[in-house]
Amino acid sequence: GYNAITAKGAAIIADALKQNTTLEELDFHNNRVTDVGVHSLAEVLSSTSTMLKALGLGSNGITDKGAEHLAEMLKTNRSITWLALAGNQIGDRGVQLLANTLAQQN
């Protein structure tokens, strides 16, 4: 957290997560990941078997679009049990998308 990581950096880390077998927590708090970076992370985390259990994305300029990417990822990712999104610009639509996904999980 508290670096200058942008969407490009998030994409680089997302690519590295494809090979991850040990990292369980990743905190991007207070960076500039944005919806574009969230998209890169969500794509990898929805299609790759990962050990990641906690993902911190607070204060990253994420909007409803980023929440949509995360909601889609959560439909298939069963390892993440902690997701931090405080300090973003997620509105009612994004919250609804996330809530709908969580409500459909067993």
Side-chain angles (χ1 to χ4, degrees):
Y2 295 91
N3 292 292
I5 300 171
T6 64
K8 182 177 180 179
I12 293 167
I13 292 172
D15 191 49
L17 287 174
K18 293 176 184 176
Q19 307 302 319
N20 175 51
T21 58
T22 57
L23 184 69
E24 294 183 1
E25 297 180 20
L26 187 56
D27 188 0
F28 285 98
H29 186 79
N30 202 22
N31 281 286
R32 297 186 303 261
V33 171
T34 72
D35 295 336
V36 175
V38 167
H39 184 253
S40 297
L41 290 165
E43 277 190 320
V44 168
L45 294 173
S46 64
S47 63
T48 303
S49 179
T50 179
M51 299 296 294
L52 200 65
K53 296 177 182 176
L55 180 60
L57 292 166
S59 300
N60 271 285
I62 299 168
T63 69
D64 289 346
K65 188 64 177 173
E68 182 177 352
H69 297 310
L70 293 169
E72 286 299 313
M73 177 268 296
L74 290 171
K75 289 178 181 178
T76 57
N77 182 299
R78 295 291 188 240
S79 64
I80 292 181
T81 58
W82 184 81
L83 179 62
L85 295 170
N88 285 294
Q89 291 76 49
I90 298 171
D92 293 341
R93 179 180 167 273
V95 170
Q96 188 66 60
L97 290 167
L98 289 164
N100 288 348
T101 297
L102 295 174
Q104 293 171 4
Q105 293 179 342
N106 295 333

